[in-house]
């Protein structure tokens, strides 16, 4: 009888250990952090997302809501994985920015990208979303990141 309990206990312990090894840590979600959520105030946006493709990306297109003053945007930090990258930001249309980091950067599925954008304004109070696309060497869309929602308050 003792042998049966010992082997049952060993099997349960082994199953628990295997379960712990197979569980991977949860990935952070795609997010935007605002230096303030007050409507119509000057703000810094920190946008972060995880890639779902493998390959080289050359630019990132960021679609902002109207009234964010995208024309005044300045690029702060640009991180691809653990690496800080030099880059620039240009206005593509009234509410769309192109972040260019020169030569392509190699990414794998799950690579975290972080963009810090200064000199923006929050739109009026409400719910909004930022649309992000990664682009290849020719400016073609490589990846469409799900819209990143946020809100401002009055």
């Amino acid at each position: 009888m003792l042998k049966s309990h010992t082997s049952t206990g060993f099997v349960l312990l082994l199953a628990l250990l295997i379960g712990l090894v197979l569980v991977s840590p949860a990935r952070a979600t795609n997010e935007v952090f605002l230096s303030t959520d007050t409507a119509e105030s000057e703000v810094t946006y920190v946008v972060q997302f995880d890639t779902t493709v493998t390959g080289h990306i050359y630019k990132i297109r960021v679609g902002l809501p109207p009234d964010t003053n995208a024309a005044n945007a300045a690029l702060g930090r640009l991180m691809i994985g653990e690496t800080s990258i030099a880059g620039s930001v240009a206005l593509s249309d009234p509410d769309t920015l192109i972040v260019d980091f020169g030569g392509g950067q190699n990414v794998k599925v799950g690579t975290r990208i972080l963009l810090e954008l200064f000199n923006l304004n929050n739109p009026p109070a409400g719910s909004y979303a930022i649309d992000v696309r990664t682009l290849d060497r020719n400016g073609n869309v490589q990846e469409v990141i799900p819209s990143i929602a946020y809100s401002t308050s009055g």
Side-chain angles (χ1 to χ4, degrees):
M1 187 77 159
L2 181 61
K3 187 173 186 179
S4 173
H5 288 300
T6 304
S7 62
T8 301
F10 177 76
V11 169
L12 289 174
L13 179 61
L14 184 59
L16 176 64
L17 291 173
I18 290 171
L20 290 174
V21 169
L22 294 178
V23 173
S24 61
R27 295 290 304 172
T29 59
N30 300 333
E31 301 173 290
V32 60
F33 300 98
L34 312 176
S35 59
T36 178
D37 67 350
T38 303
E40 301 178 84
S41 62
E42 189 171 317
V43 66
T44 296
Y45 287 6
V46 177
V47 180
Q48 66 179 24
F49 60 94
D50 294 327
T51 60
T52 59
V53 297
T54 296
H56 281 79
I57 60 173
Y58 289 81
K59 297 178 182 178
I60 300 170
R61 184 168 65 202
V62 181
L64 298 170
D67 301 320
T68 56
N69 199 22
N72 285 343
L75 183 62
R77 288 178 296 162
L78 170 58
M79 303 281 297
I80 299 181
E82 299 293 320
T83 306
S84 181
I85 304 293
S88 62
V89 64
L91 192 64
S92 169
D93 67 46
D95 301 313
T96 303
L97 302 171
I98 301 294
V99 177
D100 188 343
F101 36 92
Q105 294 292 317
N106 194 36
V107 297
K108 298 180 209 169
V109 171
T111 300
R112 171 60 45 117
I113 297 179
L114 180 141
L115 307 167
E116 185 176 44
L117 299 168
F118 295 114
N119 301 336
L120 297 174
N121 289 338
N122 272 332
S127 296
Y128 299 94
I130 294 176
D131 295 315
V132 179
R133 312 281 186 265
T134 61
L135 307 176
D136 67 12
R137 175 185 317 229
N138 300 317
N140 298 315
V141 174
Q142 262 184 312
E143 174 179 25
V144 176
I145 305 300
S147 293
I148 304 171
Y150 73 99
S151 62
T152 60
S153 61

